[in-house]
């Protein structure tokens, strides 16, 4: 989901997975706006994060970093039920029927960044999920590239997800994608005064953005589709003057590596 902020910052929506400020003043799910259907297997690292209620529903996105670990947004992982509330599907494209490439896994452990929500509401919006059993890598399921610290975001990036197609609108059955332009730090700060930290990056323009239920999903830069951002929050979806705000993944590359290298030594949820 994507956290939406309309007059405030919204809370996490139950039906989708990404927070973006636009309709609420708390984190909530988001969708791709202004995009097109992705090719099947175009992004073999993306996962469909599902939330259990009476049935399993799409909630957020995530990206595979190793056979055992997925990275997503911490705001997607705040349900009181903990790890037992979530399952993941890799190799997914159409949510309405099985295509034979899906791998369903349970979330065994949630490791939220220890600095999540401090000093700003969406600071350090990143979480790692350990799955059991591990994913089996093949044509449809592969790990993402995580850029190193000091990686320079590209002028245009691609964001993908199963989120809403417009602010407050309907969600698609298939994986969607959209190319979004980089927004300068000065412009981003002007749009969200006092709410942007150095580990956030802004992309998007009027008519092109991520949205509810896209939260936690990948923003990809360059020919190798490096994970340069994680869908985090924003005001509305694709509103003029309010770009999407993403967790800048390169700031957390070492935390990701150290966490997956020593999982038994870390606090879990």
């Amino acid at each position: 989901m994507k956290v939406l902020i309309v007059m405030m910052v919204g809370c996490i929506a139950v039906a989708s997975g990404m927070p973006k400020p636009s309709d609420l003043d708390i984190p909530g799910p988001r969708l791709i706006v202004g995009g097109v259907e992705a090719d099947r297997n175009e992004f073999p690292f993306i996962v469909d994060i599902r939330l259990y209620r009476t049935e399993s529903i799409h909630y957020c996105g995530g990206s595979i970093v190793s056979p055992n670990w997925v990275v997503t947004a911490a705001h997607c992982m705040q349900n009181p039920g903990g790890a037992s509330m979530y399952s993941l599907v890799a190799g997914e494209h159409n949510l309405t029927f099985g295509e034979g490439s899906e791998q369903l896994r349970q979330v065994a452990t949630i490791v939220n960044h220890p600095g999540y929500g401090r000093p700003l509401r969406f600071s350090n919006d990143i979480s790692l999920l350990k799955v059991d059993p591990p994913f089996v890598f093949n044509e449809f399921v592969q790990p993402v590239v995580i850029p190193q610290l000091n990686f320079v975001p590209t002028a245009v990036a691609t964001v993908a997800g199963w989120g809403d197609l417009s602010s407050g609108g309907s969600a698609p059955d298939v994986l969607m994608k959209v190319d979004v332009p980089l927004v300068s730090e000065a412009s981003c700060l002007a749009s969200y005064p006092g709410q942007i930290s150095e580990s956030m990056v802004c992309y998007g323009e009027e008519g092109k953005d991520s949205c509810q239920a896209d939260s936690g999903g990948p923003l990809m830069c360059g020919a190798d589709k490096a994970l340069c951002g994680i869908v985090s929050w924003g005001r509305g979806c694709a509103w003029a003057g309010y770009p999407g705000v993403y967790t800048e993944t390169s700031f957390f590359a070492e935390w990701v590596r150290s966490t997956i290298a020593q999982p038994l030594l870390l606090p879990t949820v």
Side-chain angles (χ1 to χ4, degrees), residues 41 43-47 63-71 88-91 101-103 105 129 131 133-145 260:
N41 193 38
F43 310 114
F45 43 81
I46 195 168
V47 298
S63 301
I64 299 170
V65 294
S66 78
N68 296 90
W69 292 91
V70 165
V71 65
L88 309 179
V89 182
S101 56
E102 299 88 348
Q103 294 184 30
R105 298 292 186 268
L129 313 179
V131 300
F135 291 115
V136 177
F137 289 164
N138 57 28
E139 176 187 0
F140 299 99
V141 179
Q142 290 288 324
V144 74
V145 173
I260 66 178

Side-chain angles (χ1 to χ4, degrees), residues 31 200 222:
L31 240 179
M200 298 177 188

Side-chain angles (χ1 to χ4, degrees), residues 198-260:
E198 65 174 356
S199 61
M200 298 177 188
V201 64
C202 291
Y203 274 88
E205 62 185 353
E206 184 176 7
K208 292 185 177 183
D209 194 7
S210 55
C211 199
Q212 285 75 49
D214 284 324
S215 289
L219 175 76
M220 298 156 282
C221 291
D224 61 354
K225 302 172 186 170
L227 183 67
C228 52
I230 295 170
V231 179
S232 184
W233 63 278
R235 183 179 294 277
C237 303
W239 291 4
Y242 293 102
V245 185
Y246 298 80
T247 301
E248 194 165 356
T249 322
S250 62
F251 277 80
F252 303 95
E254 183 53 40
W255 177 75
V256 169
R257 277 189 285 272
S258 63
T259 299
I260 66 178

Side-chain angles (χ1 to χ4, degrees), residues 13-253:
V14 171
S16 50
M18 126 183 188
K20 190 177 179 183
S22 95
D23 297 324
L24 306 172
D25 190 29
I26 45 178
R30 302 200 48 157
L31 240 179
I32 296 297
V33 179
V36 297
E37 180 178 352
D39 292 335
R40 188 176 175 217
N41 193 38
E42 185 172 358
F43 310 114
F45 43 81
I46 195 168
V47 298
D48 162 25
I49 298 179
R50 299 180 178 181
L51 181 67
Y52 285 102
R53 284 290 185 265
T54 55
E55 60 181 13
S56 183
I57 57 174
H58 173 72
Y59 187 65
C60 281
S63 301
I64 299 170
V65 294
S66 78
N68 296 90
W69 292 91
V70 165
V71 65
T72 187
H75 77 259
C76 289
M77 296 292 118
Q78 302 305 306
N79 284 283
S84 63
M85 295 294 294
Y86 304 94
S87 62
L88 309 179
V89 182
E92 182 72 281
H93 181 74
N94 191 315
L95 299 176
T96 62
F97 63 88
E99 298 166 289
S101 56
E102 299 88 348
Q103 294 184 30
L104 174 66
R105 298 292 186 268
Q106 298 304 124
V107 175
T109 302
I110 299 172
V111 183
N112 292 322
H113 192 280
Y116 172 59
R118 301 187 302 274
L120 302 175
R121 186 163 193 174
F122 300 110
S123 292
N124 307 303
D125 189 12
I126 185 170
S127 182
L128 283 164
L129 313 179
K130 188 174 184 181
V131 300
D132 183 39
F135 291 115
V136 177
F137 289 164
N138 57 28
E139 176 187 0
F140 299 99
V141 179
Q142 290 288 324
V144 74
V145 173
I146 295 182
Q148 301 294 318
L149 183 64
N150 300 322
F151 174 85
V152 178
T154 55
V156 176
T158 301
V159 61
W162 289 272
D164 299 343
L165 300 173
S166 63
S167 190
S170 62
D173 294 331
V174 297
L175 182 64
M176 302 292 288
K177 66 176 182 177
V178 65
D179 292 337
V180 286
L182 177 66
V183 175
S184 71
E185 183 178 4
S187 294
C188 190
L189 285 168
S191 295
Y192 303 112
Q195 299 177 71
I196 303 298
S197 70
E198 65 174 356
S199 61
M200 298 177 188
V201 64
C202 291
Y203 274 88
E205 62 185 353
E206 184 176 7
K208 292 185 177 183
D209 194 7
S210 55
C211 199
Q212 285 75 49
D214 284 324
S215 289
L219 175 76
M220 298 156 282
C221 291
D224 61 354
K225 302 172 186 170
L227 183 67
C228 52
I230 295 170
V231 179
S232 184
W233 63 278
R235 183 179 294 277
C237 303
W239 291 4
Y242 293 102
V245 185
Y246 298 80
T247 301
E248 194 165 356
T249 322
S250 62
F251 277 80
F252 303 95

